[in-house]
Amino acid sequence: MPKALADSSTCAIPTRVRCQVCGPVRAGVEARLSDLCGDELYSAVARSLNSISATFNQGRGTMWQALFRRPAVPLHPPVRGRCGGGRHVLRSERLLLYTPLIALDVIAPTAARSDAEAQRWLGSRTEEIVQNEDAREVFLSMRADDDLSGFETRDRLMMMRKVEKPTDGVVRLTAVHVADGRYAGATSVSLESGEIGGWLAPDYRRQGLGVELFRAAVQLGHRHLGLKVVRAGAEPTNNASRGALASAGFTPAPGPARFTLGDGREIDATWHQHRQEATARCRG
């Protein structure tokens, strides 16, 4: 499936209170995690986490209050060490990439691809995005090592719920920006087709991180999963994605000229591949 990197940056949180870490944040918001995610997305995440109930007790501003309680100085990202136990860990110059550990590691990267510019290229289904703009800003202001103790109990338990190993044959990595610990995006590799995908959050676009993200996907495919060829698709007009692929060492490859995205849109597609004869498998 053609995947693309959006290439824009937006930030539009209504401001009444300034958080010392994430900047302007609206205060006095009543929010449940299911409200912030959107019921369809929350239900989809919940089903993948042992069919957790999609109904939460009403909390009063707990999503925002918890952000005010975190340390002013960013901590190091929480994931370290080597691959093992069904997990993969990679490191580029500015990104730490790891197999999602908890539900927040899935929800926050989902918010990173949910803005209009990203969806222009990705074309995800409605239930696969965070539609509410304020909700997206909440998740994208969070760090991977945030203390979640200030959240309403059921919300906290949901976000901390361990993610089970997927059964769809796709290996996914959550990307965290090392300098500030915030969720920066995600990438993935299909074990069957070798097809990769990836995206970045609005604040991390136009900084060359797309190249790092795709290089990480290449490393995951060749050095961790034992694949000789990894492939990627992009629209011909998506210059940001195609440029990042080229800089990551991809070359043009044959593939279908048209493709239907998840939201039903049919697009033109160009295909790219990265081949490496010497491969390896890690302990992940």
Side-chain angles (χ1 to χ4, degrees):
M1 176 187 299
K3 300 288 185 180
L5 284 172
D7 191 11
S8 69
S9 180
T10 60
C11 182
I13 306 176
T15 176
R16 282 171 53 189
V17 174
R18 176 169 292 274
C19 171
Q20 61 184 344
V21 176
C22 55
V25 176
R26 186 173 67 182
V29 177
E30 296 184 2
R32 298 177 302 171
L33 183 60
S34 55
D35 292 334
L36 291 169
C37 293
D39 289 334
E40 291 183 336
L41 174 63
Y42 174 78
S43 297
V45 172
R47 285 195 298 271
S48 70
L49 303 173
N50 291 329
S51 299
I52 302 171
S53 172
T55 302
F56 280 137
N57 290 332
Q58 182 73 29
R60 297 186 62 85
T62 54
M63 294 289 292
W64 307 89
Q65 294 164 10
L67 294 178
F68 300 153
R69 294 193 179 101
R70 65 184 176 194
V73 179
L75 303 176
H76 292 293
V79 181
R80 299 181 180 277
R82 301 177 179 178
C83 302
R87 292 183 51 246
H88 300 276
V89 180
L90 287 76
R91 172 71 186 269
S92 69
E93 180 182 355
R94 292 173 288 175
L95 297 175
L96 176 68
L97 303 102
Y98 58 91
T99 302
L101 297 172
I102 60 175
L104 183 59
D105 292 335
V106 177
I107 297 172
T110 298
R113 72 178 183 199
S114 296
D115 59 289
E117 182 63 21
Q119 285 306 306
R120 172 187 175 188
W121 308 113
L122 296 173
S124 302
R125 295 190 298 272
T126 300
E127 65 270 19
E128 295 176 334
I129 63 176
V130 179
Q131 298 186 61
N132 182 275
E133 185 176 349
D134 285 350
R136 293 199 299 267
E137 296 297 340
V138 170
F139 290 119
L140 293 181
S141 70
M142 296 179 69
R143 298 201 308 265
D145 61 357
D146 266 330
D147 180 3
L148 304 179
S149 61
F151 288 84
E152 194 272 341
T153 300
R154 293 191 180 183
D155 288 358
R156 182 176 70 253
L157 292 177
M158 167 60 187
M159 287 187 287
M160 294 177 64
R161 181 83 177 193
K162 289 186 177 180
V163 177
E164 293 186 346
K165 185 176 181 179
T167 58
D168 59 359
V170 178
V171 178
R172 299 174 176 85
L173 298 180
T174 293
V176 170
H177 195 270
V178 174
D180 58 25
R182 289 167 57 196
Y183 290 99
T187 190
S188 64
V189 177
S190 168
L191 293 171
E192 181 178 355
S193 66
E195 188 176 327
I196 75 166
W199 62 84
L200 291 168
D203 286 350
Y204 299 103
R205 298 169 192 164
R206 295 176 176 167
Q207 301 175 34
L209 287 170
V211 180
E212 291 189 33
L213 194 71
F214 285 146
R215 284 176 177 165
V218 166
Q219 183 181 359
L220 176 65
H222 294 325
R223 305 302 300 170
H224 292 250
L225 305 177
L227 301 176
K228 289 187 176 182
V229 178
V230 294
R231 291 169 49 84
E235 281 195 73
T237 57
N238 190 344
N239 296 325
S241 182
R242 296 181 67 188
L245 289 168
S247 296
F250 283 76
T251 58
R258 299 285 290 174
F259 186 84
T260 303
L261 298 173
D263 62 3
R265 285 187 290 128
E266 187 174 295
I267 62 169
D268 293 330
T270 61
W271 294 88
H272 314 262
Q273 70 176 19
H274 192 290
R275 176 179 290 274
Q276 182 172 307
E277 296 299 325
T279 63
R281 290 181 177 272
C282 69
R283 298 180 300 170

